[in-house]
Amino acid sequence: MSTYDLAVIGLGYVGMPLAKEAAGAGLRVVGFEVDPLKVEALNAGRSYIDDLTDADLEHMLAGGFTATLDESVLAESATVVICVPTPLDEDHRPDLSAVEGATATVARNLSRGTLVVLESTTWPGTTDEVARPILEASGLAAGTDFHLAFSPERIDPGNAKYGMRNTPKVVGGYTLACRERAVGFYSRFVEQVVPVSGTREAEMAKLLENTYRHVNIALVNEMAIFCDELGVDLWEAIEAASTKPFGFQKFLPGPGVGGHCIPVDPSYLSYTVRKLGYPFRFVELAQEINERMPAYVVARVQRLLNRHRKAVNGSKVLLLGVTYKPDIADERETPALPVARALVELGADLVFADPYVKQWRVDGVEVPREEDLAKAVTEADVTLLLQQHAAFDLSIVEDHGRLVLDTRGVLAEGERVERL
């Protein structure tokens, strides 16, 4: 009998919610991580994940959970789930180095009968073409000596309604037996498991979900640009369209896209299609539109200041909210960074306010943090609302802002307030 029911590799935004839910269902869980600071924090009961409170972590630790730098725990685990990052490299190509490293670590400690699941988002074929050969270098064969599956993560940081337990879990196995073993594992703590015919279908499902969002966000972002010139209130038009009870889903424009999924995942799909010899034009056009939104936001700031006979150079610009989503501390791929970088290049005097971020740097230079919202808004030449955290009293921004650009469509437009 294995010492652990589950070993989670990668204790971040995906791995820790998985560990929490499995431990809550009574599974014996261990977390393996290469970052000693994360291991130390977790074992001391300090969470660095938005969706995991210190109280949650204390409960997990009391139930036997532990984090470790010792890879030998993988050999003592019935199931090993890989939840490591899959970013893009400098050339915007998939960077699977973390997946390859984690898989090689599993291979060194692979026991007969173990279930190995990859949850990291990646291009279709990765589980079979990249992970399987590395694992089989152990001398054990997938589908015969050990089970292999792919199950895409569907973690939505800050989502109070849908978490690990009540979000359907897609599972594809290398063989039918692999799939059945993985379905049985996830069914112990997930309400609905959705089996698909293979690992490639499961990998593609994740990319399809995020590419769908990416393309539709690009659509409304491009509409925001020309609706401004046409004098059309796009925000009102979107709300009107969303009253249709079928055939329409509401997407909103913004200063750009952030997080891991939307800016990164569609590039994995585009990369896969390009290997076939032709471009994935929808994705590449959406990428182009979404990546130019920070520059458009800065141009709107310039225009707003110009109308009041001010230049960006020397103006005090307050950035409200620098995380990629409201009400969380996650800054991954936040559009606030390219917006800030462009404003600095134009000579703006930047400050920021964000209840979830205590320190913020742009290219290594620390941006001053404002604690008093009313004071910050009153003193700024222009306030740029980038993220609508619930902690912000938006009436203060509307009443006291000298000039305001609202990129989230939550403020009432007026003489001093413009919406994207």
Side-chain angles (χ1 to χ4, degrees), residues 116-374:
V116 181
V117 184
L118 178 61
E119 285 206 4
S120 305
T121 303
T122 185
W123 47 267
T126 300
T127 305
D128 184 29
E129 297 168 14
V130 177
R132 182 172 62 85
I134 295 173
L135 293 168
E136 290 186 337
S138 66
L140 301 178
T144 303
D145 301 315
F146 69 93
H147 298 283
L148 178 63
F150 181 84
S151 181
E153 60 88 6
R154 281 176 162 174
I155 300 298
D156 185 18
N159 192 324
K161 183 177 181 181
Y162 290 107
M164 185 81 198
R165 175 170 290 277
N166 65 345
T167 300
K169 199 85 172 77
V170 173
V171 174
Y174 174 62
T175 65
L176 180 60
C178 291
R179 184 183 76 183
E180 293 309 308
R181 171 72 180 273
V183 167
F185 165 70
Y186 283 112
S187 295
R188 296 176 70 178
F189 54 92
V190 178
E191 292 173 5
Q192 181 185 358
V193 178
V194 182
V196 295
S197 59
T199 56
R200 284 172 171 80
E201 287 73 19
E203 289 161 336
M204 181 59 83
K206 172 65 174 180
L207 295 184
L208 178 59
E209 293 168 17
N210 288 331
T211 300
Y212 170 80
R213 292 171 60 201
H214 183 59
V215 169
N216 280 282
I217 291 169
L219 171 65
V220 292
N221 275 338
E222 187 162 45
M223 293 182 81
I225 294 171
F226 67 71
C227 280
D228 173 58
E229 296 188 26
L230 290 172
V232 174
D233 187 336
L234 176 61
W235 302 93
E236 185 177 348
I238 291 172
E239 291 304 318
S242 68
T243 61
K244 185 179 180 182
F246 52 90
F248 182 83
Q249 183 177 354
K250 182 170 74 172
F251 289 86
L252 298 172
V257 290
H260 174 273
C261 294
I262 304 303
V264 176
D265 294 356
S267 293
Y268 274 64
L269 188 51
S270 179
Y271 167 80
T272 304
V273 176
R274 278 197 168 275
K275 288 198 300 181
L276 300 176
Y278 52 87
F280 191 179
R281 288 173 292 177
F282 252 107
V283 165
E284 291 169 13
L285 179 59
Q287 198 93 20
E288 178 187 329
I289 292 168
N290 286 333
E291 286 181 353
R292 82 180 186 193
M293 287 307 291
Y296 174 69
V297 168
V298 172
R300 288 288 299 272
V301 170
Q302 284 182 290
R303 191 180 77 185
L304 185 58
L305 285 166
N306 284 343
R307 284 178 180 166
H308 292 79
R309 300 182 181 275
K310 293 182 179 181
V312 174
N313 192 354
S315 288
K316 188 171 187 178
V317 181
L318 169 64
L319 305 182
L320 284 188
V322 296
T323 61
Y324 91 90
K325 279 185 71 176
D327 305 324
I328 64 169
D330 197 341
E331 300 173 43
R332 291 177 298 171
E333 305 294 332
T334 174
L337 187 58
V339 168
R341 185 177 289 126
L343 287 168
V344 168
E345 288 175 358
L346 290 172
D349 178 15
L350 284 190
V351 294
F352 85 99
D354 194 308
Y356 297 93
V357 179
K358 303 307 178 188
Q359 285 186 314
W360 195 55
R361 290 179 172 83
V362 176
D363 296 333
V365 178
E366 188 162 335
V367 178
R369 182 175 187 267
E370 296 285 354
E371 296 275 359
D372 186 329
L373 181 62

